[in-house]
Amino acid sequence: MCGIAGYVGPRNAVEVVYDQLKRLEYRGYDSAGIAYRDNGNIAVIKRAGKLSELGKMLGEVPTDAHQAIAHSRWATHGAPTDINAHPHYDAFENVAIIHNGIIENYLDLRDELMSRGHTFHSQTDTEIAAHVIGEEYDKGVPLEEAVRLGVKRLRGAFAMVVVSKREEDKIVAVRNASPLVVGLGEHENLLASDIPALLPYTRRVVIVEENDIVVLTPERVRIVDGDGRDVPVVEQHIEWDIAAAERGGYEHFMLKEIHEQPQVIRQAIAGRIDEQGHVRLEHVFSEHVWSDIDRVNIIACGTAYHAGLMGKYLFEKLLRLPTDVYFSSEFRYGDPILSPKSLAIFVSQSGETADTLAALRLCKERRIRTLGIVNVVGSSIARECDRTIFTQAGPEISVASTKAYTAQVTVLTLLALYIAQIQETAGVRVKSWVDDLVRMPELAEKCLLLEPQIEQLCRRIKDTNLCFFLGRGADAYVAMEGALKFKEIAYIPTQEQPAGEMKHGPLALVQQGVVAIFGATDPYHVDKTMSNLKEVQARGGTILAITTENDSIMEKAAESTLKIPACSHPFLTALLSAIPYQLIAYHVARLNGHEIDQPRNLAKSVTVE
Ligand code: M6R
């Protein structure tokens, strides 16, 4: 959840780690801090608030520190205050640490340490971990050994980075269920919780494996396992263009990522459709396994869960394969009934979402087949699933997920078609679906052209205090995702469900001034949706319809209509309608002057439960 950064080498280390934090702000942003070497000591600066608050302190910092670690926080234990901000010292200020994750046994450890005379300044679990590691270090062992021994006393999920007074030019970090990446340089090395923070400095990276401890000096990167044995340092080369990790001229990452969707669809299908129009998926189960699968469970959170609902729709409609979709947090504690022949699909942009990862581990314990649909290569979910299909959407920085959703549904569609192809499912014309998929990038471009109209329309709805998101079939599922975007960044309460459910309760909320957005792109449902529209309109609701260029029904009744191009398969038209929903949320939030990329109370990657 939090952002972590580290640098050791000839440059101004404080400047480098501050720059790294700027590129990681999406991971957490309620306070930030830096520890750096200063005259044989480890000095710490930290501040509550946005990173720019910490930036104001940089003028006081010497420019000759060649070793620094830094952290941007998303609070879990203790309020976001100066004192609770990382880094934290041990009892004698011999070590300073930063940490991403949660130490579950911190209360027991605190009691134990207090019984030995320790006192604490903050309410954080991180300070407890610093004291634990400090105790080990006081025994005179090297820093990496102190970290290795200290971590054995901690329970939880975390990545931790430590520097010490005694060992100049050495940074030690440990990974335990929270991401950590090393950047390899010439006479310098770096650390970060995510790759974009390394790209300005190097494209040579090492993904730190679970429970490994990494030791960075300017000339060397060494990795040891939890037993202290050396493990190979496996280097990867990152091909991403650095601009891909930055805003590329857009006002916000979210807008940039919305506009990237035509390209994202192209990338998601790239190499996966051959010249004959067959779907080719590599690294999935062999063909006979698919015939053995009797049920699919899709497990995910938030936007990825909404993508899962679309997967269910398609798997059941096309393949007649029974499919359930679970929130990861419910699945993991729900004692799910799992058929030994079932397949569990984990959908995740980050590949690090704690609940999804825990649900995956539960399935693995029960020996269920697991498949990941993941964006971040090298992430925990990607590595731990039996098989993983990457969404290939590139880094998504905005907290509000947009392009990841489109990529996830595109990949789920490819998967359904792939299975249909293997099983020769009656009635599924794979070629016609593939033709649609190939056209999707161009059609997505057309949806983006609606932006000026959407911006104008948002001026009319931006002051509403309740917005309904309604539809039927796949349109209902995309409407749910539209509602999530709206509440996340526009901060306006929403009510979303299949339109047919309105009269079973939610209709009571309709009165003058509420807005209802109807997704009505599937001609099969349009007449019924129209009846629901009338019910809302009769009670004073303002109606906006997202429909297709072929529509002549909805436009007659709705106050405003957004018309998107139609695919031959209505499911894919519904997917395209995610774009106007995203733009509506974006423009309402922008017109109301909200933070877009970092909505209040939220963080990009939820690596705690
Ligand atoms: O990284 P993941 O896809 O596993 O994340 C799941 C959710 O936390 C995420 O989709 C969240 O709901 C987004 N902020 C929604 O825009």
Side-chain angles (χ1 to χ4, degrees):
M1 189 83 68
C2 309
I4 55 188
Y7 174 83
V8 58
R11 307 187 204 218
N12 176 339
V14 172
E15 224 169 59
V16 173
V17 292
Y18 183 73
D19 175 61
Q20 285 186 278
L21 283 192
K22 282 202 275 184
R23 296 165 201 281
L24 291 173
E25 249 190 312
Y26 61 91
R27 292 187 66 87
Y29 35 76
D30 62 34
S31 57
I34 298 176
Y36 58 94
R37 191 146 201 106
D38 187 20
N39 285 327
N41 287 317
I42 299 295
V44 166
I45 50 168
K46 49 190 186 174
R47 267 286 179 277
K50 290 263 176 203
L51 186 57
S52 51
E53 294 302 313
L54 180 72
K56 290 177 193 159
M57 301 176 81
L58 294 188
E60 305 157 22
V61 173
T63 53
D64 59 353
H66 298 302
Q67 171 198 24
I69 59 175
H71 185 266
S72 62
R73 181 167 183 251
W74 187 84
T76 54
H77 290 86
T81 59
D82 286 355
I83 286 180
N84 286 338
H86 302 198
H88 289 281
Y89 287 121
D90 70 325
F92 302 105
E93 300 192 1
N94 285 330
V95 302
I97 84 166
I98 57 176
H99 154 228
N100 170 20
I102 286 183
I103 314 292
E104 286 168 2
N105 59 336
Y106 87 106
L107 288 175
D108 292 344
L109 288 168
R110 191 181 62 185
D111 291 347
E112 183 196 316
L113 290 162
M114 283 171 87
S115 72
R116 287 197 286 274
H118 288 249
T119 53
F120 302 101
H121 304 284
S122 74
Q123 290 88 48
T124 64
D125 51 350
T126 308
E127 190 179 9
I128 309 296
H131 282 236
V132 166
I133 291 171
E135 274 194 340
E136 300 295 340
Y137 198 49
D138 288 345
K139 295 175 185 162
V141 295
L143 187 58
E144 55 272 34
E145 186 61 1
V147 170
R148 193 178 73 80
L149 297 172
V151 160
K152 287 193 187 302
R153 293 165 56 190
L154 309 177
R155 210 176 57 233
F158 47 79
M160 224 171 254
V161 186
V162 191
V163 286
S164 83
K165 196 155 122 179
R166 206 163 69 211
E167 291 170 85
E168 192 171 351
D169 286 348
K170 183 193 271 187
I171 298 177
V172 176
V174 59
R175 174 192 175 136
N176 176 353
S178 282
L180 199 57
V181 195
V182 171
L184 304 172
E186 292 296 319
H187 311 298
E188 63 182 2
N189 287 302
L190 302 101
L191 261 178
S193 41
D194 214 345
I195 290 169
L198 301 173
L199 290 185
Y201 305 96
T202 182
R203 281 163 188 281
R204 296 165 54 214
V205 306
V206 179
I207 313 262
V208 180
E209 297 289 332
E210 212 47 20
N211 299 321
D212 281 356
I213 294 161
V214 53
V215 186
L216 260 67
T217 59
E219 302 299 339
R220 189 175 174 209
V221 170
R222 184 179 160 227
I223 301 182
V224 294
D225 66 15
D227 297 320
R229 289 180 303 235
D230 275 278
V231 295
V233 176
V234 182
E235 182 179 330
Q236 295 184 28
H237 194 265
I238 297 297
E239 304 293 345
W240 294 348
D241 181 353
I242 194 165
E246 293 173 354
R247 276 203 304 274
Y250 287 94
E251 196 175 341
H252 299 101
F253 278 112
M254 183 182 177
L255 189 61
K256 172 178 176 258
E257 288 159 6
I258 291 172
H259 279 264
E260 281 173 354
Q261 288 174 110
Q263 182 56 18
V264 161
I265 300 169
R266 246 176 237 120
Q267 280 165 206
I269 61 176
R272 292 169 174 168
I273 293 175
D274 69 15
E275 285 176 359
Q276 285 72 46
H278 295 138
V279 178
R280 297 275 171 246
L281 291 180
E282 282 179 30
H283 313 303
V284 290
F285 302 101
S286 43
E287 296 197 355
H288 72 275
V289 173
W290 295 105
S291 315
D292 190 46
I293 290 168
D294 64 355
R295 173 169 284 278
V296 172
N297 292 311
I298 303 181
I299 300 139
C301 302
T303 290
Y305 172 85
H306 291 149
L309 291 174
M310 292 290 272
K312 170 187 167 68
Y313 183 87
L314 208 55
F315 282 28
E316 293 192 334
K317 211 169 171 68
L318 281 193
L319 307 173
R320 310 309 292 163
L321 183 55
T323 304
D324 286 314
V325 190
Y326 292 90
F327 291 113
S328 311
S329 55
E330 289 295 307
F331 182 89
R332 66 181 288 196
Y333 294 116
D335 196 11
I337 301 166
L338 299 173
S339 147
K341 290 182 161 206
S342 64
L343 168 69
I345 301 184
F346 298 86
V347 186
S348 176
Q349 187 285 129
S350 62
E352 300 291 349
T353 299
D355 283 323
T356 309
L357 186 55
L360 162 61
R361 288 178 180 160
L362 175 78
C363 287
K364 296 210 79 170
E365 269 167 31
R366 302 245 196 122
R367 301 184 179 284
I368 301 297
R369 293 179 189 107
T370 58
L371 172 73
I373 295 184
V374 176
N375 195 33
V376 178
V377 179
S379 60
S380 305
I381 295 171
R383 289 180 306 133
E384 292 187 28
C385 278
D386 296 335
R387 303 283 189 275
T388 295
I389 309 176
F390 290 104
T391 46
Q392 304 180 167
E396 189 179 65
I397 308 295
S398 163
V399 169
S401 187
T402 53
K403 63 176 181 172
Y405 172 78
T406 303
Q408 286 157 355
V409 180
T410 305
V411 166
L412 282 162
T413 309
L414 284 170
L415 180 61
L417 296 175
Y418 180 74
I419 301 171
Q421 215 170 249
I422 292 173
Q423 298 183 340
E424 297 179 0
T425 311
V428 181
R429 290 174 302 123
V430 173
K431 176 73 173 58
S432 97
W433 278 87
V434 162
D435 288 347
D436 256 6
L437 279 173
V438 170
R439 280 177 62 225
M440 288 276 284
E442 181 196 323
L443 303 186
E445 296 282 5
K446 290 194 175 152
C447 294
L448 290 167
L449 298 177
L450 292 170
E451 189 170 0
Q453 187 192 344
I454 290 174
E455 206 258 355
Q456 283 308 314
L457 201 149
C458 289
R459 291 178 188 277
R460 304 217 310 272
I461 65 170
K462 72 181 180 46
D463 297 319
T464 185
N465 51 24
L466 178 60
C467 191
F468 285 84
F469 287 79
L470 304 165
R472 283 169 177 260
D475 279 326
Y477 292 143
V478 183
M480 287 178 195
E481 173 56 10
L484 179 64
K485 292 292 85 73
F486 202 72
K487 58 184 122 209
E488 263 185 303
I489 60 166
Y491 308 153
I492 294 174
T494 65
Q495 176 72 29
E496 56 277 11
Q497 79 263 309
E501 272 298 294
M502 280 299 277
K503 59 175 95 57
H504 299 288
L507 202 54
L509 292 172
V510 177
Q511 55 182 340
Q512 207 68 37
V514 307
V515 172
I517 307 181
F518 280 86
T521 64
D522 186 345
Y524 177 71
H525 292 296
V526 132
D527 291 339
K528 298 282 176 213
T529 307
M530 182 59 147
S531 313
N532 303 128
L533 184 157
K534 292 282 185 198
E535 289 157 8
V536 176
Q537 201 164 43
R539 290 160 179 85
T542 300
I543 311 291
L544 159 62
I546 302 178
T547 179
T548 65
E549 285 166 354
N550 309 333
D551 167 70
S552 57
I553 300 176
M554 298 298 285
E555 69 175 348
K556 287 192 194 128
E559 276 86 343
S560 315
T561 311
L562 293 169
K563 291 192 162 198
I564 62 170
C567 304
S568 340
H569 295 278
F571 176 84
L572 294 176
T573 318
L575 172 58
L576 285 175
S577 74
I579 295 176
Y581 281 119
Q582 294 161 352
L583 288 168
I584 291 169
Y586 174 81
H587 283 287
V588 169
R590 188 174 166 279
L591 289 165
N592 287 337
H594 295 169
E595 284 280 355
I596 304 276
D597 289 330
Q598 297 167 1
R600 70 184 178 205
N601 307 337
L602 300 177
K604 182 67 181 163
S605 182
V606 185
T607 52
V608 293
E609 355 176 358

